[in-house]
Amino acid sequence: MTTTEKSPRSPAFIILGAPGSGKGTQGERLQEDLELPYYATGDILRAAVREGTEIGLQAKEYMDRGDLVPDEVSIGVIVERLSNPEASRGFILDGFPRTLPQAEALDAKLEEISRRLAAVILIDVPDEEIVRRLGGRRVCAEADHVYHVDFNPPEQEGICDIDGSELVIRDDDSSETVRNRLATYHEKTAPLIDFYEGQALLDRVDGARSPDEVAESIRALVSTLSLEEEN
Ligand SMILES: [Zn+2]
């Protein structure tokens, strides 16, 4: 591949991971470590809508109708953000790309603005562990105080420590829903994994460990990349 000579490798990262993989937490830690802007797609879309940019208004039309924002619009919103001065040194993307066409479009746009990804970090957590993490969550009926049967149990089983109301399982966290979400995630992400593996950009991190251990692995990984220094 000759892309190495085409454009410098700035500290630009994509974080991939299933719901419950801890990718949000890790993205925020990486952001603090590298002092880069961190873009979670949903937040960017909402920000573009709020700021009323042209592409943001296009996205708003779909969102107001309750439709999915089509690829070309969400790509436009992301690229607009990546073209901002704040992202000139690098960035961390979370939640985008989600599909192969989005990944290909992102590649083309990065090329246009003379950028290259440094790495795509996949936080790998076995499905069983995800089901245990999400399936063990309980919230109180009164005020949504969050507990976990293994990691953060209440003093008295099934009862909120704070207000004494009953603890319940959210629909989103039922094991059937979690398994459905995981199936969708794998189906959509598998082609992305192949795509970035083919570009030698994919780095897998074992996400079944504690957040500190995972963060340490990511730090070690990033330190091995030869990143462009800040001007
Ligand atoms: Zn409560």
Side-chain angles (χ1 to χ4, degrees):
M1 289 223 277
T2 55
T3 43
T4 321
E5 292 115 55
K6 279 189 201 154
S7 43
R9 194 177 262 239
S10 50
F13 298 91
I14 291 172
I15 299 199
L16 294 177
S21 63
K23 87 185 146 77
T25 307
Q26 297 302 331
E28 281 167 23
R29 293 211 188 180
L30 190 59
Q31 171 191 30
E32 284 167 22
D33 281 358
L34 300 178
E35 296 179 356
L36 294 172
Y38 173 63
Y39 299 130
T41 319
D43 297 346
I44 302 190
L45 274 176
R46 281 187 291 275
V49 169
R50 206 168 46 236
E51 289 159 14
T53 65
E54 195 186 329
I55 192 94
L57 293 176
Q58 285 178 38
K60 184 175 188 296
E61 282 182 33
Y62 293 94
M63 290 158 90
D64 284 349
R65 287 200 300 263
D67 289 339
L68 273 179
V69 178
D71 272 1
E72 72 259 26
V73 175
S74 52
I75 291 163
V77 171
I78 303 288
V79 168
E80 181 180 66
R81 192 60 42 154
L82 299 186
S83 311
N84 271 358
E86 63 166 20
S88 64
R89 193 170 72 84
F91 54 81
I92 301 162
L93 272 180
D94 169 0
F96 188 94
R98 257 185 225 289
T99 62
L100 188 56
Q102 286 183 354
E104 288 167 342
L106 177 66
D107 251 24
K109 289 294 180 181
L110 287 174
E111 182 92 350
E112 260 178 55
I113 56 175
S114 299
R115 298 308 247 339
R116 282 189 68 217
L117 293 169
V120 177
I121 301 170
L122 172 65
I123 303 183
D124 225 349
V125 181
D127 284 2
E128 285 317 306
E129 173 65 13
I130 301 267
V131 171
R132 190 168 81 97
R133 285 181 187 180
L134 298 183
R137 278 212 299 218
R138 301 288 181 271
V139 296
C140 84
E142 188 69 33
D144 282 344
H145 295 123
V146 180
Y147 297 85
H148 193 284
V149 292
D150 297 321
F151 311 128
N152 178 29
E155 285 192 15
Q156 200 187 334
E157 197 187 321
I159 305 288
C160 179
D161 292 345
I162 298 162
D163 50 44
S165 71
E166 189 197 355
L167 299 184
V168 297
I169 303 175
R170 270 190 203 138
D171 286 344
D172 251 16
D173 296 336
S174 76
S175 65
E176 198 193 328
T177 310
V178 171
R179 283 180 201 283
N180 282 338
R181 285 162 70 196
L182 282 171
T184 307
Y185 164 78
H186 288 304
E187 191 190 326
K188 289 217 165 139
T189 314
L192 284 182
I193 292 175
D194 290 346
F195 179 71
Y196 288 121
E197 244 167 5
Q199 298 187 8
L201 282 175
L202 192 83
D203 286 294
R204 289 172 194 270
V205 171
D206 172 9
R209 298 166 298 161
S210 74
D212 284 346
E213 289 170 310
V214 177
E216 203 41 60
S217 290
I218 294 177
R219 230 173 257 140
L221 159 72
V222 168
S223 72
T224 64
L225 300 170
S226 52
L227 299 175
E228 184 189 48
E229 286 303 313
E230 196 173 355
N231 299 326

